[in-house]
PDB file of all heavy atoms in Angstrom:
ATOM      1  N   GLN A   1     -31.961  32.687  31.974  1.00  0.00           N
ATOM      2  CA  GLN A   1     -32.035  33.673  33.047  1.00  0.00           C
ATOM      3  C   GLN A   1     -31.251  33.201  34.277  1.00  0.00           C
ATOM      4  O   GLN A   1     -30.556  34.003  34.910  1.00  0.00           O
ATOM      5  CB  GLN A   1     -33.487  33.931  33.414  1.00  0.00           C
ATOM      6  CG  GLN A   1     -33.659  35.029  34.428  1.00  0.00           C
ATOM      7  CD  GLN A   1     -35.124  35.325  34.695  1.00  0.00           C
ATOM      8  OE1 GLN A   1     -36.018  34.728  34.108  1.00  0.00           O
ATOM      9  NE2 GLN A   1     -35.367  36.261  35.585  1.00  0.00           N
ATOM     10  N   MET A   2     -31.344  31.937  34.611  1.00  0.00           N
ATOM     11  CA  MET A   2     -30.590  31.407  35.750  1.00  0.00           C
ATOM     12  C   MET A   2     -29.083  31.539  35.518  1.00  0.00           C
ATOM     13  O   MET A   2     -28.347  31.960  36.416  1.00  0.00           O
ATOM     14  CB  MET A   2     -30.932  29.927  35.960  1.00  0.00           C
ATOM     15  CG  MET A   2     -32.254  29.681  36.605  1.00  0.00           C
ATOM     16  SD  MET A   2     -32.709  27.937  36.727  1.00  0.00           S
ATOM     17  CE  MET A   2     -31.214  27.123  37.173  1.00  0.00           C
ATOM     18  N   ARG A   3     -28.654  31.204  34.330  1.00  0.00           N
ATOM     19  CA  ARG A   3     -27.218  31.287  34.032  1.00  0.00           C
ATOM     20  C   ARG A   3     -26.727  32.736  34.053  1.00  0.00           C
ATOM     21  O   ARG A   3     -25.675  33.033  34.629  1.00  0.00           O
ATOM     22  CB  ARG A   3     -26.930  30.655  32.678  1.00  0.00           C
ATOM     23  CG  ARG A   3     -27.046  29.159  32.710  1.00  0.00           C
ATOM     24  CD  ARG A   3     -26.795  28.561  31.357  1.00  0.00           C
ATOM     25  NE  ARG A   3     -26.734  27.099  31.459  1.00  0.00           N
ATOM     26  CZ  ARG A   3     -26.909  26.292  30.456  1.00  0.00           C
ATOM     27  NH1 ARG A   3     -27.141  26.763  29.254  1.00  0.00           N
ATOM     28  NH2 ARG A   3     -26.845  24.993  30.630  1.00  0.00           N
ATOM     29  N   ARG A   4     -27.476  33.620  33.437  1.00  0.00           N
ATOM     30  CA  ARG A   4     -27.067  35.027  33.403  1.00  0.00           C
ATOM     31  C   ARG A   4     -27.048  35.646  34.791  1.00  0.00           C
ATOM     32  O   ARG A   4     -26.140  36.413  35.128  1.00  0.00           O
ATOM     33  CB  ARG A   4     -27.970  35.839  32.486  1.00  0.00           C
ATOM     34  CG  ARG A   4     -27.708  35.557  31.009  1.00  0.00           C
ATOM     35  CD  ARG A   4     -28.578  36.401  30.091  1.00  0.00           C
ATOM     36  NE  ARG A   4     -29.958  35.908  30.149  1.00  0.00           N
ATOM     37  CZ  ARG A   4     -31.008  36.649  30.492  1.00  0.00           C
ATOM     38  NH1 ARG A   4     -30.861  37.912  30.793  1.00  0.00           N
ATOM     39  NH2 ARG A   4     -32.211  36.122  30.524  1.00  0.00           N
ATOM     40  N   SER A   5     -28.015  35.313  35.624  1.00  0.00           N
ATOM     41  CA  SER A   5     -28.058  35.891  36.968  1.00  0.00           C
ATOM     42  C   SER A   5     -26.913  35.397  37.838  1.00  0.00           C
ATOM     43  O   SER A   5     -26.379  36.155  38.651  1.00  0.00           O
ATOM     44  CB  SER A   5     -29.402  35.612  37.636  1.00  0.00           C
ATOM     45  OG  SER A   5     -29.597  34.246  37.835  1.00  0.00           O
ATOM     46  N   SER A   6     -26.514  34.149  37.677  1.00  0.00           N
ATOM     47  CA  SER A   6     -25.395  33.649  38.468  1.00  0.00           C
ATOM     48  C   SER A   6     -24.081  34.309  38.045  1.00  0.00           C
ATOM     49  O   SER A   6     -23.235  34.611  38.890  1.00  0.00           O
ATOM     50  CB  SER A   6     -25.293  32.131  38.381  1.00  0.00           C
ATOM     51  OG  SER A   6     -24.984  31.703  37.086  1.00  0.00           O
ATOM     52  N   VAL A   7     -23.913  34.559  36.765  1.00  0.00           N
ATOM     53  CA  VAL A   7     -22.725  35.267  36.285  1.00  0.00           C
ATOM     54  C   VAL A   7     -22.744  36.722  36.740  1.00  0.00           C
ATOM     55  O   VAL A   7     -21.707  37.305  37.065  1.00  0.00           O
ATOM     56  CB  VAL A   7     -22.615  35.163  34.744  1.00  0.00           C
ATOM     57  CG1 VAL A   7     -21.527  36.071  34.204  1.00  0.00           C
ATOM     58  CG2 VAL A   7     -22.365  33.727  34.337  1.00  0.00           C
ATOM     59  N   PHE A   8     -23.928  37.313  36.811  1.00  0.00           N
ATOM     60  CA  PHE A   8     -24.097  38.694  37.255  1.00  0.00           C
ATOM     61  C   PHE A   8     -23.532  38.885  38.660  1.00  0.00           C
ATOM     62  O   PHE A   8     -22.889  39.897  38.944  1.00  0.00           O
ATOM     63  CB  PHE A   8     -25.594  39.048  37.212  1.00  0.00           C
ATOM     64  CG  PHE A   8     -25.934  40.410  37.704  1.00  0.00           C
ATOM     65  CD1 PHE A   8     -25.749  41.516  36.896  1.00  0.00           C
ATOM     66  CD2 PHE A   8     -26.471  40.595  38.968  1.00  0.00           C
ATOM     67  CE1 PHE A   8     -26.081  42.786  37.342  1.00  0.00           C
ATOM     68  CE2 PHE A   8     -26.807  41.857  39.418  1.00  0.00           C
ATOM     69  CZ  PHE A   8     -26.605  42.947  38.607  1.00  0.00           C
ATOM     70  N   VAL A   9     -23.755  37.922  39.541  1.00  0.00           N
ATOM     71  CA  VAL A   9     -23.259  38.017  40.917  1.00  0.00           C
ATOM     72  C   VAL A   9     -21.734  38.092  40.929  1.00  0.00           C
ATOM     73  O   VAL A   9     -21.150  39.009  41.506  1.00  0.00           O
ATOM     74  CB  VAL A   9     -23.764  36.828  41.768  1.00  0.00           C
ATOM     75  CG1 VAL A   9     -23.118  36.830  43.137  1.00  0.00           C
ATOM     76  CG2 VAL A   9     -25.274  36.854  41.886  1.00  0.00           C
ATOM     77  N   ALA A  10     -21.083  37.151  40.272  1.00  0.00           N
ATOM     78  CA  ALA A  10     -19.616  37.132  40.249  1.00  0.00           C
ATOM     79  C   ALA A  10     -19.046  38.368  39.561  1.00  0.00           C
ATOM     80  O   ALA A  10     -18.048  38.935  40.012  1.00  0.00           O
ATOM     81  CB  ALA A  10     -19.123  35.872  39.546  1.00  0.00           C
ATOM     82  N   SER A  11     -19.692  38.818  38.504  1.00  0.00           N
ATOM     83  CA  SER A  11     -19.208  39.988  37.760  1.00  0.00           C
ATOM     84  C   SER A  11     -19.281  41.254  38.597  1.00  0.00           C
ATOM     85  O   SER A  11     -18.367  42.081  38.568  1.00  0.00           O
ATOM     86  CB  SER A  11     -20.028  40.184  36.489  1.00  0.00           C
ATOM     87  OG  SER A  11     -19.887  39.080  35.645  1.00  0.00           O
ATOM     88  N   ASN A  12     -20.355  41.432  39.346  1.00  0.00           N
ATOM     89  CA  ASN A  12     -20.485  42.627  40.176  1.00  0.00           C
ATOM     90  C   ASN A  12     -19.494  42.631  41.331  1.00  0.00           C
ATOM     91  O   ASN A  12     -18.986  43.678  41.705  1.00  0.00           O
ATOM     92  CB  ASN A  12     -21.915  42.769  40.692  1.00  0.00           C
ATOM     93  CG  ASN A  12     -22.789  43.475  39.697  1.00  0.00           C
ATOM     94  OD1 ASN A  12     -22.481  44.572  39.268  1.00  0.00           O
ATOM     95  ND2 ASN A  12     -23.867  42.832  39.316  1.00  0.00           N
ATOM     96  N   ILE A  13     -19.204  41.484  41.885  1.00  0.00           N
ATOM     97  CA  ILE A  13     -18.197  41.411  42.940  1.00  0.00           C
ATOM     98  C   ILE A  13     -16.832  41.786  42.380  1.00  0.00           C
ATOM     99  O   ILE A  13     -16.091  42.582  42.964  1.00  0.00           O
ATOM    100  CB  ILE A  13     -18.174  40.010  43.572  1.00  0.00           C
ATOM    101  CG1 ILE A  13     -19.489  39.757  44.314  1.00  0.00           C
ATOM    102  CG2 ILE A  13     -16.973  39.844  44.496  1.00  0.00           C
ATOM    103  CD1 ILE A  13     -19.690  38.321  44.732  1.00  0.00           C
ATOM    104  N   ALA A  14     -16.484  41.257  41.208  1.00  0.00           N
ATOM    105  CA  ALA A  14     -15.199  41.569  40.581  1.00  0.00           C
ATOM    106  C   ALA A  14     -15.114  43.044  40.211  1.00  0.00           C
ATOM    107  O   ALA A  14     -14.095  43.698  40.462  1.00  0.00           O
ATOM    108  CB  ALA A  14     -15.010  40.702  39.338  1.00  0.00           C
ATOM    109  N   GLU A  15     -16.172  43.574  39.638  1.00  0.00           N
ATOM    110  CA  GLU A  15     -16.158  44.990  39.243  1.00  0.00           C
ATOM    111  C   GLU A  15     -16.067  45.894  40.461  1.00  0.00           C
ATOM    112  O   GLU A  15     -15.348  46.888  40.458  1.00  0.00           O
ATOM    113  CB  GLU A  15     -17.411  45.331  38.445  1.00  0.00           C
ATOM    114  CG  GLU A  15     -17.420  46.755  37.938  1.00  0.00           C
ATOM    115  CD  GLU A  15     -18.645  47.098  37.112  1.00  0.00           C
ATOM    116  OE1 GLU A  15     -19.393  46.184  36.727  1.00  0.00           O
ATOM    117  OE2 GLU A  15     -18.842  48.300  36.868  1.00  0.00           O
ATOM    118  N   GLY A  16     -16.788  45.554  41.509  1.00  0.00           N
ATOM    119  CA  GLY A  16     -16.749  46.370  42.723  1.00  0.00           C
ATOM    120  C   GLY A  16     -15.378  46.402  43.351  1.00  0.00           C
ATOM    121  O   GLY A  16     -14.922  47.443  43.816  1.00  0.00           O
ATOM    122  N   SER A  17     -14.692  45.280  43.357  1.00  0.00           N
ATOM    123  CA  SER A  17     -13.354  45.259  43.946  1.00  0.00           C
ATOM    124  C   SER A  17     -12.355  46.020  43.087  1.00  0.00           C
ATOM    125  O   SER A  17     -11.380  46.557  43.595  1.00  0.00           O
ATOM    126  CB  SER A  17     -12.892  43.824  44.159  1.00  0.00           C
ATOM    127  OG  SER A  17     -12.645  43.186  42.933  1.00  0.00           O
ATOM    128  N   ALA A  18     -12.595  46.098  41.806  1.00  0.00           N
ATOM    129  CA  ALA A  18     -11.683  46.817  40.906  1.00  0.00           C
ATOM    130  C   ALA A  18     -11.831  48.326  41.028  1.00  0.00           C
ATOM    131  O   ALA A  18     -10.891  49.063  40.762  1.00  0.00           O
ATOM    132  CB  ALA A  18     -11.927  46.396  39.466  1.00  0.00           C
ATOM    133  N   ARG A  19     -12.993  48.774  41.427  1.00  0.00           N
ATOM    134  CA  ARG A  19     -13.216  50.220  41.529  1.00  0.00           C
ATOM    135  C   ARG A  19     -12.477  50.845  42.690  1.00  0.00           C
ATOM    136  O   ARG A  19     -12.211  52.029  42.670  1.00  0.00           O
ATOM    137  CB  ARG A  19     -14.710  50.502  41.652  1.00  0.00           C
ATOM    138  CG  ARG A  19     -15.452  50.088  40.410  1.00  0.00           C
ATOM    139  CD  ARG A  19     -16.409  51.108  39.997  1.00  0.00           C
ATOM    140  NE  ARG A  19     -17.054  50.698  38.749  1.00  0.00           N
ATOM    141  CZ  ARG A  19     -18.239  51.087  38.408  1.00  0.00           C
ATOM    142  NH1 ARG A  19     -18.932  51.878  39.198  1.00  0.00           N
ATOM    143  NH2 ARG A  19     -18.750  50.706  37.265  1.00  0.00           N
ATOM    144  N   GLY A  20     -12.223  50.074  43.716  1.00  0.00           N
ATOM    145  CA  GLY A  20     -11.363  50.542  44.792  1.00  0.00           C
ATOM    146  C   GLY A  20     -12.043  51.308  45.900  1.00  0.00           C
ATOM    147  O   GLY A  20     -11.818  51.020  47.050  1.00  0.00           O
ATOM    148  N   SER A  21     -12.878  52.276  45.580  1.00  0.00           N
ATOM    149  CA  SER A  21     -13.470  53.080  46.644  1.00  0.00           C
ATOM    150  C   SER A  21     -14.573  52.297  47.343  1.00  0.00           C
ATOM    151  O   SER A  21     -15.318  51.548  46.718  1.00  0.00           O
ATOM    152  CB  SER A  21     -14.010  54.398  46.098  1.00  0.00           C
ATOM    153  OG  SER A  21     -15.133  54.167  45.286  1.00  0.00           O
ATOM    154  N   ASN A  22     -14.664  52.475  48.626  1.00  0.00           N
ATOM    155  CA  ASN A  22     -15.602  51.710  49.430  1.00  0.00           C
ATOM    156  C   ASN A  22     -17.060  51.922  49.029  1.00  0.00           C
ATOM    157  O   ASN A  22     -17.795  50.939  48.931  1.00  0.00           O
ATOM    158  CB  ASN A  22     -15.391  52.007  50.915  1.00  0.00           C
ATOM    159  CG  ASN A  22     -16.098  51.018  51.803  1.00  0.00           C
ATOM    160  OD1 ASN A  22     -16.285  49.869  51.432  1.00  0.00           O
ATOM    161  ND2 ASN A  22     -16.474  51.461  52.975  1.00  0.00           N
ATOM    162  N   PRO A  23     -17.543  53.148  48.770  1.00  0.00           N
ATOM    163  CA  PRO A  23     -18.955  53.299  48.383  1.00  0.00           C
ATOM    164  C   PRO A  23     -19.314  52.557  47.091  1.00  0.00           C
ATOM    165  O   PRO A  23     -20.383  51.952  46.999  1.00  0.00           O
ATOM    166  CB  PRO A  23     -19.134  54.807  48.202  1.00  0.00           C
ATOM    167  CG  PRO A  23     -18.054  55.431  49.013  1.00  0.00           C
ATOM    168  CD  PRO A  23     -16.909  54.456  48.964  1.00  0.00           C
ATOM    169  N   ASN A  24     -18.431  52.590  46.100  1.00  0.00           N
ATOM    170  CA  ASN A  24     -18.698  51.861  44.867  1.00  0.00           C
ATOM    171  C   ASN A  24     -18.697  50.360  45.080  1.00  0.00           C
ATOM    172  O   ASN A  24     -19.527  49.631  44.526  1.00  0.00           O
ATOM    173  CB  ASN A  24     -17.662  52.209  43.792  1.00  0.00           C
ATOM    174  CG  ASN A  24     -17.925  53.565  43.172  1.00  0.00           C
ATOM    175  OD1 ASN A  24     -19.053  54.023  43.127  1.00  0.00           O
ATOM    176  ND2 ASN A  24     -16.868  54.194  42.708  1.00  0.00           N
ATOM    177  N   PHE A  25     -17.752  49.886  45.882  1.00  0.00           N
ATOM    178  CA  PHE A  25     -17.673  48.450  46.159  1.00  0.00           C
ATOM    179  C   PHE A  25     -18.942  47.981  46.872  1.00  0.00           C
ATOM    180  O   PHE A  25     -19.536  46.970  46.498  1.00  0.00           O
ATOM    181  CB  PHE A  25     -16.437  48.145  46.984  1.00  0.00           C
ATOM    182  CG  PHE A  25     -16.258  46.689  47.294  1.00  0.00           C
ATOM    183  CD1 PHE A  25     -16.078  45.778  46.267  1.00  0.00           C
ATOM    184  CD2 PHE A  25     -16.263  46.226  48.589  1.00  0.00           C
ATOM    185  CE1 PHE A  25     -15.907  44.421  46.536  1.00  0.00           C
ATOM    186  CE2 PHE A  25     -16.090  44.892  48.872  1.00  0.00           C
ATOM    187  CZ  PHE A  25     -15.913  43.988  47.839  1.00  0.00           C
ATOM    188  N   VAL A  26     -19.366  48.734  47.880  1.00  0.00           N
ATOM    189  CA  VAL A  26     -20.563  48.369  48.628  1.00  0.00           C
ATOM    190  C   VAL A  26     -21.781  48.375  47.736  1.00  0.00           C
ATOM    191  O   VAL A  26     -22.620  47.480  47.816  1.00  0.00           O
ATOM    192  CB  VAL A  26     -20.743  49.334  49.850  1.00  0.00           C
ATOM    193  CG1 VAL A  26     -22.099  49.139  50.501  1.00  0.00           C
ATOM    194  CG2 VAL A  26     -19.631  49.126  50.847  1.00  0.00           C
ATOM    195  N   ARG A  27     -21.895  49.352  46.861  1.00  0.00           N
ATOM    196  CA  ARG A  27     -23.047  49.441  45.967  1.00  0.00           C
ATOM    197  C   ARG A  27     -23.110  48.225  45.028  1.00  0.00           C
ATOM    198  O   ARG A  27     -24.167  47.634  44.836  1.00  0.00           O
ATOM    199  CB  ARG A  27     -22.981  50.730  45.130  1.00  0.00           C
ATOM    200  CG  ARG A  27     -24.179  50.943  44.215  1.00  0.00           C
ATOM    201  CD  ARG A  27     -24.105  52.294  43.535  1.00  0.00           C
ATOM    202  NE  ARG A  27     -22.909  52.488  42.767  1.00  0.00           N
ATOM    203  CZ  ARG A  27     -22.742  52.083  41.500  1.00  0.00           C
ATOM    204  NH1 ARG A  27     -23.706  51.458  40.881  1.00  0.00           N
ATOM    205  NH2 ARG A  27     -21.618  52.312  40.861  1.00  0.00           N
TER     206      ARG A  27
END
């Protein structure tokens, strides 16, 4: 669980920046 949650943080930041629009990135 610790390993998966730490990867989750980095993955969501990367995915948010790829989406481009500000509301999606913020979410």
